[in-house]
Amino acid sequence: MSELILAVESSCDETSVAVVKNGSIILSNIIASQIKSHERFGGVVPEVASRHHVEQIGYCIQDALAEAKVKPEELSAVAVTKGPGLVGALLIGITAAKSFAWAHGLPLIGVNHMAGHICAARFVQTIHYPALALLVSGGHTELVYLPSEGTYEIIGETRDDAAGEAYDKVGRVLGLSYPSGKKIDEMAHKGNDTYHFPRAMLHENTYDFSFSGLKSSFINLVHNAQQRDEQLNENDLAASFQASVIDVLVEKTIRACQEYQVQQLIVAGGVAANQGLRERLQTATKTMLPSVELIFPPLKLCGDNAAMIGAAASIEKKQAHFSDLTLNAEPSLAFPLHKKAEGL
Ligand code: KG4
Ligand code: ZN
């Protein structure tokens, strides 16, 4: 009999509900984006996000079941993002999922949002272990080692800003609307790396990242130019910024794949949509890691969505990791550190 999971995601600014079959087939994936409401504030306003989730969650559940043509009694479990994320936003999804699970007598599975981003790869390809994931989103930049199914260990992470956050902050300085990663990526393709920003921690013996120095260099350059009334080439600025981010991400990821002898490299999170990053990683893996399979989730599954939560939940279900109705939001939920990273 097939496994049908109803999955709920509400950790940030997307209310999403999906029905996922056998952990790897999407029957529906409803995404109600709030981006228009947050755009004018230049970032996500937590209180506004919670209010939108409350309004949307009921409709999203109805639509997800209707589109999948699945009745509640046919479901095997209800999964929900328990963290990391905005506490108020998480609680809306958790409360809805708990209520639905209780009303229909279904098991409940709490899912780590970052495991969800990684498991979006399951819609493209079966994950073979050991694997490595480069997780790059608005809130996170992590290299995650997956020795076996359902085990996620951090070997490196950002010490300050996340990659997506850096894109959004420099985008603001350029007067771009939030989130600005996609626009900077497009501009970068029309420019050249003429400004040569720093590549933080590139040659240090750590898989950790740092993007705040790059962000400050960028902002200082733009402000100094404004004071002197000098014109900067915005496409070159975007290309120079992007080259710095990609150089560090690619170099450290390739090094980690070699050290951990992985079979697959999964790139996930909103910044995995970056065309420059995709191109560079494709070339680097082909030449330096011919035996490593590179997996990018499809663009529409790189951002926050509930289907990825269903894919991760299916692994938790196999391992009988269920939650009870005391399930609570864990805003700072994090993967454990890998042994070697603990001492860093
Ligand atoms: O994973 P995500 O949808 O949300 C979370 O942060 O969990 O990631 C959103 C981030 C934003 O910072 C956005 O600017 C960035 O992903 N992003 C991109 C691109 N598309 C989205 N960054 C660089 N290049 C892109 N093409
Ligand atoms: Zn996310």
Side-chain angles (χ1 to χ4, degrees), residues 17-48:
V17 181
V19 177
V20 176
K21 187 175 165 183
N22 300 334
S24 59
I25 301 163
I26 300 175
L27 299 188
S28 63
N29 191 20
I30 308 296
I31 305 172
S33 174
Q34 314 172 353
I35 213 73
K36 286 272 164 267
S37 302
H38 299 287
E39 213 171 20
R40 71 193 128 130
F41 300 111
V44 177
V45 183
E47 181 59 26
V48 173

Side-chain angles (χ1 to χ4, degrees), residues 192-197 233 236-237 239-240:
N192 296 305
D193 177 8
T194 52
Y195 293 104
H196 307 300
F197 290 119
N233 181 318
D236 286 350
L237 270 175
S240 305

Side-chain angles (χ1 to χ4, degrees), residues 9 11-12 113-114 117 137-140 269-270 302-305 308:
E9 155 65 36
S11 65
C12 191
H113 178 82
M114 305 316 288
H117 273 301
S137 73
H140 293 79
C302 283
D304 291 347
N305 69 90
M308 68 185 199

Side-chain angles (χ1 to χ4, degrees), residues 72-304:
E73 55 272 25
E74 295 171 294
L75 291 168
S76 323
V78 179
V80 61
T81 303
K82 61 179 175 182
L86 302 169
V87 65
L90 288 164
L91 280 171
I92 312 295
I94 291 174
T95 308
K98 272 189 200 173
S99 311
F100 192 95
W102 181 77
H104 298 284
L106 291 164
L108 181 68
I109 304 169
V111 175
N112 182 317
H113 178 82
M114 305 316 288
H117 273 301
I118 295 174
C119 289
R122 298 188 71 195
F123 298 118
V124 181
Q125 179 63 272
T126 308
I127 304 181
H128 296 295
Y129 303 89
L132 185 85
L134 170 65
L135 268 176
V136 269
S137 73
H140 293 79
T141 299
E142 294 170 357
L143 276 169
V144 182
Y145 176 53
L146 289 84
S148 57
E149 192 170 63
T151 309
Y152 308 89
E153 297 173 351
I154 292 188
I155 61 165
E157 61 193 323
T158 182
R159 297 195 184 168
D160 38 58
D161 292 351
E165 192 181 354
Y167 269 94
D168 296 335
K169 285 181 178 163
V170 305
R172 199 189 298 192
V173 176
L174 293 180
L176 305 175
S177 62
Y178 171 87
S180 37
K182 187 164 185 272
K183 181 74 193 154
I184 294 179
D185 189 14
E186 287 163 7
M187 289 164 66
H189 277 77
K190 297 181 202 141
N192 296 305
D193 177 8
T194 52
Y195 293 104
H196 307 300
F197 290 119
R199 269 80 171 143
M201 304 170 76
L202 185 62
H203 302 296
E204 287 177 38
N205 188 22
T206 167
Y207 292 116
D208 281 353
F209 304 95
S210 166
F211 294 107
S212 72
L214 166 63
K215 176 193 68 188
S216 304
S217 302
F218 186 101
I219 294 173
N220 288 341
L221 183 80
V222 173
H223 285 170
N224 287 340
Q226 280 166 350
Q227 277 160 5
R228 289 197 212 111
D229 229 4
E230 267 172 35
Q231 279 297 315
L232 295 172
N233 181 318
E234 293 202 342
N235 289 339
D236 286 350
L237 270 175
S240 305
F241 169 80
Q242 177 143 311
S244 168
V245 174
I246 293 178
D247 272 359
V248 183
L249 290 177
V250 171
E251 158 103 24
K252 295 208 178 207
T253 303
I254 298 294
R255 222 193 291 156
C257 284
Q258 286 164 337
E259 182 179 347
Y260 287 84
Q261 299 274 303
V262 296
Q263 297 199 47
Q264 288 177 333
L265 168 61
I266 298 163
V267 189
V271 184
N274 187 280
Q275 291 306 319
L277 179 64
R278 286 178 175 240
E279 287 156 19
R280 280 282 301 281
L281 273 173
Q282 259 144 11
T283 315
T285 46
K286 215 176 272 171
T287 52
M288 297 164 78
L289 305 166
S291 64
V292 174
E293 186 181 13
L294 176 63
I295 309 173
F296 283 101
L299 286 185
K300 63 180 188 305
L301 297 177
C302 283
D304 291 347

